[in-house]
Amino acid sequence: GAGAPADGGFRPKMETAVSGLVAVEEARRFVLSACHRLPAAEVPLADALGLVAARPIRSSEPVPPFANSSMDGYALRSGDVAGGPAKLRVVGALMAGDDPAGLSVGEGEAVRIMTGAALPSGADAVCMIEHTRPEGDLVLIEEAVGPGTNVRRPGEDIAAGEEVFAAGESLGPAHIGVLASLGVAWVDVFPRPRVGVLSTGDELVAGPGPLAPGKIRDSNRPGLLARLRADGFEPIDLGWVGDEPRALAQALVVAAPRCDAVLTSGGVSVGDRDLVKVVLEQLGGQQARWMQVAVRPGKPFAFSTFPPRATPVFGLPGNPVSALVSYELFARPALRLMAGHPNLERPRLPAIAGADMRRQADGRLHLVRVVVTTGPDGLEARPSGAQGSHQLRALAAANALAFLPDGGGVGAG
Ligand code: AMP
Ligand code: MG
């Protein structure tokens, strides 16, 4: 409207001049201290992949539920074949799923049995079919079979009443299978954080189609949405806003109540149109902080929490490599904390430089996009391509980030 200030009234509350560098660990501590585990909830087993058990899970029944055969063969009394080869009378057959009631194995008798079928009463062992020969109503058992051979005992994997998984256990595909084997339909877990992703910048165009002069395609939003999904979080596409403080503020105010956390990209550096940091300071209150982190890529970073639920908002840098690396350093550990994971970090391993990795001393940790392979002396790391923070291809080619501390770098070997 008439008389409204051109900047929408948003002016930095704090000094937004570049100050000293903040160590990665300090920036991470600051972020983590503002984030909290989400309240536990019951989810259907089919939705629990990658989620963390909120309390210990006990079995209500044994697995396997009954004694059954681990082989296709003949159920028998081991005492009948203790002395070596013997001929037994075949008195019936049991397939997997058959009720064994009504069949029993007496002295000198055997029951043909398939893998997974319940052991008939009287039998205490199974001879595998490869070591038998049918002879009319009889079967020749070609070798001695000890008691318990090829029999799966009830509860030998999991006993009834046993603690199967501790609280804090991350549920993978095999966990889902174990819980299904116990008849569990709902599990008490920390829910999957719902994470909004908002791109910012007047230069951005979403999707295909011609590019007008000066425009580029939005790659951060698809990349971050994919990263979130790959990390087991629930991505929410919040679209795109231009470099306009009111539109930015509006987008964040609408998004915060819908999301457990929000990622923005762009607008946190020292440029004239870097307004995300300003809006975060305006709306975020005490928690708002704009930092220059002692790392490359990923130096500019803003963080805030938003009312009404203190939703964490991560102001990631705009350059595509920086956005994803900054996510790795700050957002991913925080989201894992919210999701109840006891372990917030990716594994860190020592590796040998497979090529020269020279750098200038600049007070910052350098994160080099590398391909790590197994060499004769252990892991070897080589740069995966051009290392500019706008050159995303080398990150796509990389399987690790090499931590190259401040100084002159390292030579091959
Ligand atoms: P900024 O910090 O907003 O100045 O952005 C830094 C650089 O990242 C500029 O070259 C931007 O054009 C670029 N950039 C910002 N957002 C995106 C995005 N969503 N996708 C691709 N590049 C971006
Ligand atoms: Mg921008």
Side-chain angles (χ1 to χ4, degrees):
D7 64 359
F10 285 93
R11 291 197 183 82
K13 169 184 70 183
M14 289 184 249
E15 187 50 59
T16 46
V18 177
S19 53
L21 294 177
V22 176
V24 170
E25 292 307 323
E26 190 201 324
R28 189 186 284 126
R29 263 198 305 277
F30 177 77
V31 165
L32 292 179
S33 69
C35 297
H36 307 283
R37 216 160 58 182
L38 299 176
E42 296 242 304
V43 303
L45 182 62
D47 297 340
L49 180 66
L51 300 181
V52 174
R55 57 187 169 83
I57 301 175
R58 292 189 172 280
S59 66
S60 55
E61 54 191 52
V63 180
F66 51 84
N68 68 90
S69 177
S70 67
M71 290 286 172
D72 299 318
Y74 288 86
L76 45 75
R77 300 160 80 102
S78 58
D80 286 348
V81 294
K87 282 182 187 172
L88 303 176
R89 201 158 56 82
V90 181
V91 297
L94 283 169
M95 307 295 124
D98 285 353
D99 181 349
L103 258 188
S104 76
V105 176
E107 220 180 302
E109 292 179 344
V111 162
R112 189 170 169 85
I113 192 166
M114 299 298 117
T115 303
L119 206 69
S121 70
D124 69 341
V126 172
C127 180
M128 61 197 284
I129 213 160
E130 291 85 342
H131 298 156
T132 68
R133 203 151 12 105
E135 295 182 2
D137 290 350
L138 304 179
V139 60
L140 171 67
I141 306 297
E142 295 174 334
E143 58 176 26
V145 179
T149 302
N150 298 325
V151 174
R152 302 163 172 163
R153 284 175 289 106
E156 82 176 4
D157 188 15
I158 300 164
E162 189 182 341
E163 180 178 308
V164 189
F165 301 129
E169 185 109 11
S170 168
L171 303 177
H175 296 78
I176 304 289
V178 165
L179 294 171
S181 77
L182 294 168
V184 170
W186 291 79
V187 278
D188 202 8
V189 292
F190 299 109
R192 211 177 289 287
R194 296 160 46 86
V195 188
V197 178
L198 180 73
S199 283
T200 76
D202 287 335
E203 72 276 36
L204 298 181
V205 171
L211 282 176
K215 305 294 185 191
I216 61 163
R217 301 190 201 280
D218 178 358
S219 60
N220 287 351
R221 186 156 44 106
L224 287 166
L225 290 167
R227 181 73 264 168
L228 288 166
R229 192 178 296 286
D231 284 344
F233 309 122
E234 187 182 326
I236 300 173
D237 189 347
L238 300 177
W240 159 91
V241 283
D243 293 313
E244 205 281 302
R246 285 188 183 203
L248 271 169
Q250 173 70 9
L252 290 170
V253 164
V254 169
R258 289 176 56 205
C259 302
D260 296 312
V262 175
L263 312 177
T264 67
S265 68
V268 295
S269 194
V270 294
D272 296 345
R273 288 285 173 81
D274 287 331
L275 299 165
V276 171
K277 64 180 192 289
V278 179
V279 170
L280 292 192
E281 283 178 347
Q282 291 279 347
L283 298 179
Q286 292 304 306
Q287 281 293 346
R289 192 164 163 195
W290 179 49
M291 293 173 247
Q292 307 300 318
V293 185
V295 68
R296 175 179 168 169
K299 182 168 82 156
F301 172 63
F303 178 80
S304 187
T305 57
F306 267 45
R309 292 186 300 135
T311 307
V313 181
F314 298 83
L316 305 176
N319 275 307
V321 179
S322 312
L324 282 165
V325 167
S326 187
Y327 165 89
E328 283 290 327
L329 295 175
F330 307 118
R332 186 175 181 275
L335 296 172
R336 284 180 64 82
L337 183 153
M338 295 172 79
H341 287 280
N343 166 18
L344 306 183
E345 305 284 340
R346 288 191 193 274
R348 289 188 195 182
L349 300 167
I352 298 161
D356 284 349
M357 293 190 209
R358 296 295 173 200
R359 50 160 295 179
Q360 303 283 313
D362 59 2
R364 296 197 265 166
L365 170 71
H366 286 199
L367 301 179
V368 184
R369 278 69 82 199
V370 293
V371 176
V372 176
T373 53
T374 312
D377 302 316
L379 299 179
E380 285 179 17
R382 287 179 188 78
S384 61
Q387 296 288 317
S389 60
H390 59 297
Q391 292 168 304
L392 195 51
R393 195 167 58 161
L395 186 56
N399 62 3
L401 294 172
F403 282 49
L404 205 55
D406 197 20
V410 295

